[in-house]
Amino acid sequence: MSQQPMSSLLHHTFTGHEGSVFGVRISEEISIPGSDTVRRILASCSDDRTIRIWDVSDITNESPVGGQEDAATASVETGFATSTSRAGQDPNRYIAVAMGHLSRIWGLRFLAQQGSTQQLLSYGEDASLQVWELDVVNLARPPGTVPEDPFLALRHQDTYRFHSGKHIWSVAVLGTDDGPSKVSTGGADGCIACYDIALNEMQDRRISLWSMKGVWDKCDVQDKWPHANATSTVARSPTESPAKSTFTALKGRWVLQRTIESALSWHPSGAFKGSAVFELRPPTNKAYDMEYLYVEEGNFTTKQGLSFLGSRRYVYRYQASTDKITAWFVNVDDKTSVDYFFHDIYFQKVKVADPQFEGWQAGSSIAKGYHLCVKDDYWAEYEFKYSGAGLRKWNLAYNVKGPEKDYVANAHYTRDDNAVEAIDGVCEGLPPHAMATEGQRPDLDPQDSFKSYAWVSDVEFLTTTEYGHVLLGTLHSANQLPTLRLVDQHTFQRVSWEKLTRLDNLKSYCIAASVSGKGIAFLSGSEGTIYLYRHRERSISPLITLPLKVSGLFVQVLRQMTDPFEQVPQLASTGVVASCLGFATANALILELTPSRTEEPQFAIVRRMTLILPSSFVVTSACFTDSQKLVILGARSGALAFYDISASSDNNIGMTASCC
């Protein structure tokens, strides 16, 4: 039987991406509300960090292609676009474009259509899964009519970050007719996360925080020896496993204050002040999964004024199979090994704030224990207080009754933010570079994550987060840390954090640029507003709003001057270049600083120039010449564009590139 030669039909050739295309997906048939129209769209993702949407509803254009050889001849190069690319004039151009990932995007998935909204998710090298919404009503246009600019908005809905390091490599989606889509992601960290994605943003956020049973279990490997890292103040969801989450959050140093009220004259009353450390070490019994050596040291002062040094040691253990914490006495001779059992810690009550409105703004867990010491009864009660998903304070009360002892001891523990110490044993087995810098996690939502940063001084940097928080981080050097110790000749540097503000425009997407030695930085989010941060005043204010999301932001010192009042060099003139995603122009700004004796110097935009970009020119770098006569832009494709800005001093004038 003779075989018929294989053939195919080429319906569309799409151009527009500025890098390798890693993923494409064709949607199911999309019904347009209020119309009999049915459409299909194609989504693509690329090395250029963009997602682009194309209309593939019309396949009447059929160009026969015979075999692979002809197909190769008929194809159009899709790699890095050049200035001769037809993107922008092609009737098959994209109808929507968006950028949200920090690095390459590996793949896409369509979710179920609900009403006029079509959901799409993307995942990539930055180990995040992003959810997008597309309003499909405008798809009801006549076939073949495509406006000059993308006419559909691909809106960012949410970001999910449950993997550490880089890369989400695999995604599985289970769609439902009347509920959220079930999503599972597998990452390069060897973990699988399962969660729900719904159209309703509030429901979505709540599910991701509180219906994550099993997702936090991926942290088991990180919690166990020898992968312990820097001090953890973050407690996992207390509604799922208060024992495990609390045990993990105890690691590190605490400020301790204890009062003792005794009813017996031979047992003194007084106050103890000192510190306590939970040192993570390998479990000394295979039946347990995690183990701390607890050490407290300080001074005890009696009510009569006598003062002397005091110290206590215990061992705390966590067992995953029973989800239980136990406390043990330490051998008095070697001061490290376990001697005998003290008490179990049973969690009685968990109280958290309503996550629908505030997340983990406040909450507490109550746990109790009992021990019989010969004839004396020990009743222990623990209260762990959460704030912003972190364990910052906790209390321990002992009520002791018996013929030999009769007293009440109340201890208050507060996280010691001023102490940075390499705990013996914890550092063994860790690579040296992992111990070079240690920092407390800021007091944020557990699903929040760092987004972008910019240095504002030699030791201070501005950081934004996924939820729009703006933080100021400060590195503390060794001479600022009296408790510092060296581990394998590597020095710790601690980071302290200050919350500055929260801006909705910086949620999910933010880029930052700064002039670090001059104390200014520029931030921009998804809506095109550029904010100016002034470090001296700790102020953030809107500078200018551009028509679309800013995809490139470049800052340069143009001129300095000496402050006539302080006689120190100050920034006088700054150049800023900003480009927008999918826009044919870039903006060049010149800012001047006006000093004043009576009030803080002010920045003002003295020139704004619109730079018309060559075709398919994606700006990746920019600078002003020292003479301030030229602005030079660099493109992803390797091209350069030169703009003569000395010819005119008019603001907002369109300028074309003189050389490219």
Side-chain angles (χ1 to χ4, degrees):
M1 184 173 63
S2 62
Q3 289 185 333
Q4 295 293 328
M6 297 183 64
S7 63
S8 60
L9 294 175
L10 178 63
H11 297 290
H12 298 278
T13 299
F14 295 124
T15 58
H17 278 294
E18 301 295 334
S20 301
V21 177
F22 292 121
V24 292
R25 286 277 167 169
I26 297 178
S27 71
E28 298 292 334
E29 289 187 342
I30 297 175
S31 300
I32 309 302
S35 170
D36 296 332
T37 306
V38 176
R39 296 290 188 192
R40 282 187 188 270
I41 57 176
L42 180 146
S44 60
C45 60
S46 168
D47 183 45
D48 64 7
R49 298 183 298 157
T50 66
I51 300 166
R52 298 175 190 254
I53 306 297
W54 321 78
D55 189 350
V56 293
S57 306
D58 183 8
I59 57 173
T60 57
N61 179 22
E62 299 179 352
S63 301
V65 178
Q68 294 181 354
E69 191 171 320
D70 290 341
T73 304
S75 66
V76 175
E77 184 175 345
T78 60
F80 291 87
T82 66
S83 60
T84 59
S85 170
R86 292 183 296 114
Q89 292 83 36
D90 195 333
N92 291 326
R93 69 168 304 180
Y94 53 86
I95 59 176
V97 60
M99 176 184 287
H101 285 271
L102 297 176
S103 51
R104 293 174 289 184
I105 307 172
W106 297 137
L108 307 139
R109 295 288 190 278
F110 282 104
L111 303 181
Q113 178 188 353
Q114 296 193 24
S116 62
T117 301
Q118 173 66 57
Q119 277 189 312
L120 172 73
L121 59 83
S122 59
Y123 58 93
E125 186 179 13
D126 60 1
S128 74
L129 182 140
Q130 314 259 356
V131 183
W132 308 85
E133 290 181 350
L134 185 71
D135 191 341
V136 300
V137 173
N138 287 335
L139 280 174
R141 57 176 177 76
T145 59
V146 181
E148 282 296 316
D149 296 318
F151 63 97
L152 293 184
L154 188 58
R155 298 183 301 272
H156 187 271
Q157 178 188 345
D158 214 337
T159 299
Y160 294 83
R161 294 183 182 274
F162 299 120
H163 294 278
S164 59
K166 287 187 175 183
H167 304 297
I168 291 178
W169 288 125
S170 57
V171 170
V173 179
L174 175 63
T176 57
D177 294 332
D178 55 355
S181 298
K182 310 289 185 181
V183 176
S184 297
T185 53
D189 57 357
C191 302
I192 298 174
C194 304
Y195 39 98
D196 294 347
I197 294 177
L199 270 176
N200 183 282
E201 183 177 354
M202 187 63 71
Q203 179 187 4
D204 176 19
R205 180 62 59 195
R206 180 167 184 153
I207 289 172
S208 65
L209 282 176
W210 302 103
S211 299
M212 288 301 302
K213 184 170 180 57
V215 171
W216 289 120
D217 292 340
K218 76 184 183 66
C219 301
D220 284 352
V221 176
Q222 299 172 10
D223 291 339
K224 294 180 182 179
W225 183 266
H227 302 286
N229 48 23
T231 300
S232 171
T233 65
V234 178
R236 276 75 170 177
S237 172
T239 58
E240 293 179 13
S241 176
K244 178 186 174 183
S245 60
T246 302
F247 189 91
T248 303
L250 286 172
K251 179 159 67 77
R253 180 175 290 273
W254 301 84
V255 176
L256 169 60
Q257 296 186 15
R258 180 186 291 113
T259 59
I260 298 177
E261 295 291 338
S262 175
L264 304 177
S265 58
W266 60 85
H267 194 288
S269 300
F272 177 88
K273 293 184 178 181
S275 63
V277 177
F278 286 83
E279 299 179 2
L280 186 66
R281 67 184 192 182
T284 54
N285 187 318
K286 294 182 179 180
Y288 296 90
D289 298 274
M290 288 182 282
E291 185 173 299
Y292 290 125
L293 174 63
Y294 169 89
V295 181
E296 68 174 55
E297 295 176 336
N299 288 280
F300 179 78
T301 303
T302 68
K303 286 189 173 181
Q304 291 74 31
L306 298 176
S307 181
F308 50 87
L309 296 176
S311 177
R312 287 184 180 180
R313 290 181 175 235
Y314 299 104
V315 168
Y316 285 83
R317 289 167 163 170
Y318 174 75
Q319 188 176 51
S321 60
T322 59
D323 194 30
K324 184 186 295 183
I325 301 174
T326 53
W328 303 73
F329 289 100
V330 172
N331 188 297
V332 295
D333 295 324
D334 61 26
K335 297 182 180 181
T336 58
S337 64
V338 174
D339 195 355
Y340 60 97
F341 179 73
F342 188 10
H343 63 267
D344 290 310
I345 300 177
Y346 296 99
F347 282 81
Q348 309 288 313
K349 180 182 179 182
V350 177
K351 178 183 178 182
V352 294
D354 186 356
Q356 183 173 357
F357 301 101
E358 299 179 332
W360 291 2
Q361 295 300 318
S364 63
S365 295
I366 304 297
K368 296 183 179 181
Y370 172 78
H371 172 72
L372 177 63
C373 181
V374 189
K375 296 181 180 180
D376 298 317
D377 297 295
Y378 283 69
W379 286 278
E381 181 168 328
Y382 297 78
E383 182 183 18
F384 301 99
K385 298 182 178 181
Y386 305 100
S387 175
L391 182 60
R392 308 295 301 173
K393 298 179 181 180
W394 61 284
N395 302 322
L396 172 56
Y398 280 106
N399 191 350
V400 182
K401 294 287 185 180
E404 299 296 328
K405 299 175 182 177
D406 187 354
Y407 67 88
V408 175
N410 289 293
H412 305 280
Y413 295 81
T414 304
R415 175 65 69 183
D416 188 355
D417 289 332
N418 296 317
V420 177
E421 183 170 349
I423 301 172
D424 293 335
V426 174
C427 300
E428 297 176 11
L430 282 173
H433 68 270
M435 305 306 299
T437 302
E438 190 254 22
Q440 297 277 25
R441 174 186 167 91
D443 192 12
L444 299 173
D445 189 288
Q447 302 303 315
D448 206 354
S449 60
F450 295 130
K451 198 69 179 175
S452 60
Y453 72 93
W455 290 94
V456 292
S457 75
D458 291 342
V459 295
E460 295 167 297
F461 55 96
L462 208 62
T463 301
T464 64
T465 75
E466 191 74 37
Y467 289 178
H469 292 285
V470 181
L471 312 173
L472 180 65
T474 303
L475 289 175
H476 298 275
S477 59
N479 58 10
Q480 297 173 290
L481 300 171
T483 59
L484 181 75
R485 290 191 288 175
L486 296 179
V487 181
D488 298 330
Q489 304 304 314
H490 289 269
T491 304
F492 282 91
Q493 283 192 300
R494 181 181 171 274
V495 180
S496 64
W497 296 99
E498 177 185 348
K499 283 186 179 180
L500 299 179
T501 187
R502 181 178 181 179
L503 298 171
D504 288 340
N505 287 350
L506 303 185
K507 285 183 178 179
S508 301
Y509 177 83
C510 178
I511 60 173
S514 66
V515 181
S516 61
K518 307 305 175 185
I520 64 170
F522 298 85
L523 307 170
S524 186
S526 58
E527 296 185 5
T529 300
I530 299 177
Y531 296 89
L532 171 65
Y533 169 76
R534 302 194 60 192
H535 186 51
R536 183 176 177 179
E537 298 82 29
R538 300 293 198 273
S539 66
I540 300 178
S541 58
L543 179 67
I544 190 173
T545 298
L546 300 181
L548 292 173
K549 176 192 293 186
V550 175
S551 57
L553 190 59
F554 313 95
V555 183
Q556 180 182 343
V557 176
L558 300 181
R559 182 170 57 88
Q560 295 189 104
M561 67 179 182
T562 300
D563 189 317
F565 310 121
E566 298 185 8
Q567 295 301 310
V568 296
Q570 274 202 349
L571 192 63
S573 181
T574 304
V576 179
V577 174
S579 59
C580 294
L581 178 64
F583 213 59
T585 62
N587 285 267
L589 311 174
I590 295 180
L591 283 66
E592 296 282 353
L593 179 68
T594 304
S596 171
R597 182 183 292 275
T598 58
E599 59 184 19
E600 292 295 338
Q602 299 296 317
F603 270 102
I605 299 175
V606 296
R607 288 194 68 188
R608 176 183 176 184
M609 296 150 283
T610 301
L611 311 179
I612 301 173
L613 300 177
S615 177
S616 301
F617 194 98
V618 178
V619 181
T620 56
S621 60
C623 74
F624 293 77
T625 58
D626 292 340
S627 63
Q628 299 184 37
K629 293 182 178 180
L630 293 177
V631 174
I632 306 172
L633 306 184
R636 185 189 299 274
S637 62
L640 293 175
F642 295 80
Y643 297 86
D644 184 356
I645 62 173
S646 65
S648 173
S649 60
D650 295 337
N651 281 339
N652 208 20
I653 184 172
M655 298 181 179
T656 57
S658 59
C659 180
C660 186

